Amino acid sequence: MVLPSIHLANLRSLPNKMDELLLLSRTNKDFSNSAALCFTESWLNDTILDNALNLPGFQLFRADRVAESVGKSRGGGTCFYINERWCTDVTVLKKMCCPDLEAFFINCKPFYSPREFSSFILIFNRSLELCEVPACFKRSTIIPIPKKPKITGLNDYRPVALTSVVMKSFERLVLAYLKNITGPLQPPRLLKFADDTTVIGLIQDGDESAYRQEIEQLAAWCSLNNLELNMLKTMEMIVDFRRNTPALPPLTIMNSTVPTVESFRFLGTTISQDLKWDTHIDSIIKKAQQRFYFLRQLRKFNLPQELLTQFYSVVIESVLCTSITVWFGSATKSDMRRLQRT
């Protein structure tokens, strides 16, 4: 069996298209082999029975428009035809019908995984043996996303690499594999995430040699691999709780002096020099308050409470709870009260 395929179409009346669908199921192999047929604007109601919508080899699941909930008696409705050769264990999770949204959620448990999955396992094992990744898997599409409303240069874009699903699966498997074969890292530590790199060093008795050597090796590696460190975004933060903090010589990378800062953002979390979270909490509260505007606008359109709650959870609560396990335990009572008021 080939990889599952899904056929999606806006029908504008399923009963009027049944003859065409029956013809496609008999003459079009791609259509008849589809794992699922997803149709919107089915225009079905209680007067139309399932027997009139029978498609050989497929199981029908429908969510008709409820006129009392929407205020419209015509149009709308969604339905699924699930290929019985692919799956018969189908569960309807949820149906939703309101003036602004119609949704239909189902869960399918197919009989077996496609045979191509076993091929992926062989490729993955071979890749580990040779310590190489197939070139076709490393191809990606780079989408530049603007960081600022006004673009003045290339640094104002954030490159987002869209890789294939196969490559994403490989990355997760390799990460799990590396965690099993590598032990705990010793300082200085090199943390990498996408195109962000952070070096954490422990300076004892004024000895910075290991820390600075790690920086030099990182700069040399980037140069050899045609990577350029963005010195405009490179910074150093020193955490020292001694009363008399000695002055340390400035850090230099590629003849450029790295500025010393009191706080910086690490994967969306603002870390301060004193290891307090006031700055981070101020930032997320401000960001959440800006998004409350959209929630108020949605309330004006009389959206159902369920949708408003989902919007709050996805758009606002997600901001307030970002890396909450890191900073909430060390937050002050006043910061907690501010969060509760938000």
Side-chain angles (χ1 to χ4, degrees):
M1 184 176 179
V2 297
L3 290 173
S5 59
I6 299 176
H7 187 93
L8 175 64
N10 185 304
L11 291 184
R12 296 179 62 82
S13 180
L14 176 60
N16 292 340
K17 305 295 191 304
M18 283 306 302
D19 291 339
E20 183 178 350
L21 295 178
L22 288 170
L23 180 62
L24 285 173
S25 65
R26 296 191 183 102
T27 60
N28 191 308
K29 189 175 181 180
D30 292 334
F31 186 87
S32 60
N33 288 335
S34 295
L37 308 177
C38 309
F39 297 137
T40 59
E41 293 291 338
S42 60
W43 293 12
L44 299 178
N45 53 53
D46 296 339
T47 62
I48 303 175
L49 302 179
D50 289 351
N51 294 336
L53 307 171
N54 183 41
L55 200 60
F58 289 86
Q59 189 177 3
L60 173 64
F61 297 87
R62 52 192 277 187
D64 303 344
R65 170 173 284 182
V66 181
E68 294 78 9
S69 301
V70 181
K72 300 177 183 178
S73 58
R74 181 177 174 82
T78 57
C79 68
F80 291 100
Y81 282 97
I82 304 301
N83 196 323
E84 294 178 344
R85 291 175 296 169
W86 177 67
C87 174
T88 56
D89 186 0
V90 182
T91 305
V92 176
L93 300 179
K94 190 174 185 179
K95 297 181 182 181
M96 183 183 299
C97 184
C98 64
D100 300 289
L101 177 67
E102 294 182 39
F104 188 22
F105 302 92
I106 63 174
N107 181 43
C108 301
K109 296 181 180 179
F111 297 124
Y112 51 83
S113 299
R115 64 171 179 265
E116 282 78 1
F117 285 2
S118 59
S119 302
F120 292 151
I121 296 175
L122 294 175
I123 295 174
F124 172 72
N125 291 333
R126 187 61 175 168
S127 177
L128 287 180
E129 292 175 3
L130 300 177
C131 298
E132 294 181 1
V133 177
C136 59
F137 289 170
K138 293 189 288 186
R139 294 177 183 173
S140 61
T141 302
I142 306 298
I143 305 296
I145 305 297
K147 298 179 183 178
K148 304 177 182 178
K150 186 177 180 180
I151 303 300
T152 58
L154 294 178
N155 288 331
D156 293 335
Y157 288 97
R158 175 178 287 107
V160 177
L162 303 180
T163 56
S164 64
V165 176
V166 176
M167 189 60 199
K168 287 184 172 66
S169 302
F170 266 43
E171 290 172 354
R172 289 180 177 271
L173 292 172
V174 170
L175 179 60
Y177 178 78
L178 292 177
K179 287 182 177 179
N180 291 331
I181 64 175
T182 57
L185 297 175
Q186 300 297 327
R189 298 184 179 183
L190 183 64
L191 307 180
K192 294 178 289 184
F193 182 84
D195 59 343
D196 294 332
T197 303
T198 304
V199 179
I200 302 176
L202 176 62
I203 301 175
Q204 292 180 326
D205 301 326
D207 184 10
E208 303 179 59
S209 57
Y211 168 62
R212 294 183 179 273
Q213 183 179 2
E214 183 71 20
I215 298 294
E216 293 175 359
Q217 291 177 353
L218 173 63
W221 184 88
C222 291
S223 178
L224 290 175
N225 290 273
N226 299 319
L227 296 175
E228 182 180 355
L229 291 175
N230 189 349
M231 298 307 300
L232 297 177
K233 296 182 179 180
T234 303
M235 60 196 71
E236 181 184 35
M237 187 180 75
I238 301 174
V239 179
D240 193 341
F241 293 103
R242 292 178 295 180
R243 291 185 178 180
N244 299 320
T245 304
L248 298 176
L251 182 65
T252 303
I253 301 178
M254 297 183 298
N255 299 324
S256 298
T257 301
V258 178
T260 303
V261 297
E262 296 182 355
S263 64
F264 77 103
R265 287 178 62 84
F266 179 67
L267 301 181
T269 303
T270 304
I271 302 177
S272 301
Q273 194 175 32
D274 55 4
L275 299 186
K276 295 182 180 180
W277 302 104
D278 305 42
T279 305
H280 174 70
I281 293 174
D282 289 340
S283 174
I284 62 175
I285 288 178
K286 181 179 179 181
K287 191 173 182 179
Q289 289 175 343
Q290 292 173 345
R291 299 188 177 193
F292 267 113
Y293 167 79
F294 301 103
L295 182 62
R296 298 188 189 99
Q297 294 298 111
L298 292 176
R299 289 187 62 183
K300 292 181 181 179
F301 290 100
N302 298 321
L303 258 68
Q305 186 64 34
E306 183 179 1
L307 289 181
L308 294 176
T309 303
Q310 290 181 358
F311 180 87
Y312 173 82
S313 300
V314 174
V315 179
I316 300 175
E317 188 178 29
S318 61
V319 173
L320 296 173
C321 295
T322 300
S323 63
I324 191 171
T325 55
V326 175
W327 54 264
F328 187 78
S330 303
T332 62
K333 290 184 178 180
S334 61
D335 289 334
M336 292 183 183
R337 285 195 293 268
R338 287 194 299 152
L339 289 169
Q340 291 294 336
R341 287 196 299 269
T342 305

